[in-house]
Amino acid sequence: MYQITEGQVVRTEQSTIPYTWIRGEHPNKSICIMLPGLGYSTERPLFHYATGVCLNQNVDVLHINYNFAKNEHFKKLNNQEQDSWMYQDVKAVVAEVLKDTKYEQSFVLSKSIGTIPMAFEWNQRNFIKNTLGIWLTPLLKIDAVFDALLKTELPSLCVIGDEDHHYIEERISSLKNNEHVSTVVIPKADHGLEIKGDTLASIDAAKEVFNHIHDFIAKNKIKE
């Protein structure tokens, strides 16, 4: 049985961020904070099954369900202002929801645009302690995201398809030189980590992704 708490954090008049916090029956030492993509919510398959992988290993989960695509104030900002907005939203939810908790370890799992606020935190270390990263389809064309992964000293898993428009072979090769980063390239997978026109191959690709996520968590999580 799990305890599910749904709510929202009001950061400003223009920014209200819904969240879902899923906890195990008994207190856990680890939590996974999940940051979805712009059009890829936490209800979509990668997050749905990743949530199951976490819960099966006694890792609580916090979905931060921002929806920038429908926020007219957000859409009027330039890229730099949008990046800062995303980070402030994520930071506000984590600070409010987890303020009275005693987690000893945090995984952060992000996809696509969610890797931008994740990169901010990787550089600033403002609110997450004892952190490990799971980067799904990171926006490697954005220097801040690439540099955060390239220079990280935190255990990290990077998963991307070689048909992803953010896949850059030279940058992937550079990441493989960082001993703290496990880089997985899914052949023929696009930005959704799916194989276009082949449903069964997409299912196999997803299974590979979840196996890597499972193994990464199992290897690094604090023992109960």
Side-chain angles (χ1 to χ4, degrees):
M1 295 293 294
Y2 301 106
Q3 180 180 347
I4 300 176
T5 303
E6 294 184 312
Q8 58 185 22
V9 172
V10 179
R11 183 172 69 83
T12 68
E13 290 184 4
Q14 292 79 34
S15 182
T16 298
I17 315 103
Y19 67 85
T20 303
W21 184 17
I22 309 171
R23 286 168 285 176
E25 186 175 0
H26 304 289
N28 289 319
K29 295 180 180 180
S30 303
I31 187 168
C32 183
I33 299 163
M34 297 194 178
L35 312 180
L38 189 62
Y40 198 101
S41 73
T42 52
E43 296 178 350
R44 296 285 297 275
L46 289 173
F47 285 93
H48 174 77
Y49 290 109
T51 296
V53 169
C54 290
L55 296 176
N56 288 341
Q57 298 194 73
N58 297 320
V59 176
D60 291 349
V61 174
L62 174 62
H63 292 162
I64 300 183
N65 299 313
Y66 45 65
N67 196 343
F68 304 118
K70 294 183 179 180
N71 190 312
E72 296 302 322
H73 299 283
F74 178 84
K75 289 191 285 187
K76 292 177 182 178
L77 302 177
N78 61 39
N79 289 343
Q80 185 176 1
E81 291 169 332
Q82 288 182 345
D83 292 351
S84 177
W85 179 308
M86 288 188 285
Y87 181 57
Q88 295 302 322
D89 276 3
V90 170
K91 186 165 66 170
V93 174
V94 171
E96 175 63 27
V97 177
L98 303 185
K99 61 183 177 182
D100 295 322
T101 63
K102 297 181 180 180
Y103 292 111
E104 298 178 23
Q105 177 185 57
S106 300
F107 293 89
V108 180
L109 185 154
S110 64
K111 184 189 184 311
S112 189
I113 200 173
T115 61
I116 293 177
M118 185 170 174
F120 268 60
E121 176 59 19
W122 247 236
N123 291 324
Q124 298 186 27
R125 307 282 183 89
N126 280 332
F127 63 86
I128 303 174
K129 64 180 181 179
N130 195 6
T131 312
L132 304 96
I134 301 172
W135 307 67
L136 303 182
T137 68
L139 303 187
L140 296 180
K141 290 182 179 179
I142 297 177
D143 290 341
V145 174
F146 171 65
D147 288 343
L149 256 173
L150 182 67
K151 299 173 183 177
T152 187
E153 296 179 355
L154 304 175
S156 298
L157 171 66
C158 170
V159 183
I160 193 168
D162 62 10
E163 296 294 327
D164 189 328
H165 57 282
H166 275 275
Y167 174 84
I168 303 173
E169 187 172 356
E170 295 169 354
R171 291 198 162 188
I172 291 296
S173 296
S174 297
L175 292 180
K176 291 180 179 178
N177 292 325
N178 185 339
E179 63 180 3
H180 302 290
V181 180
S182 299
T183 303
V184 177
V185 176
I186 307 296
K188 300 181 179 180
D190 60 17
H191 193 59
L193 289 174
E194 297 180 346
I195 315 300
K196 187 175 181 179
D198 194 333
T199 301
L200 294 180
S202 295
I203 293 172
D204 288 339
K207 184 176 180 180
E208 182 177 353
V209 172
F210 298 130
N211 280 334
H212 282 290
I213 292 173
H214 174 277
D215 292 347
F216 180 78
I217 293 174
K219 177 182 177 181
N220 292 288
K221 112 176 190 48
I222 293 176
K223 304 306 179 186
E224 298 297 329

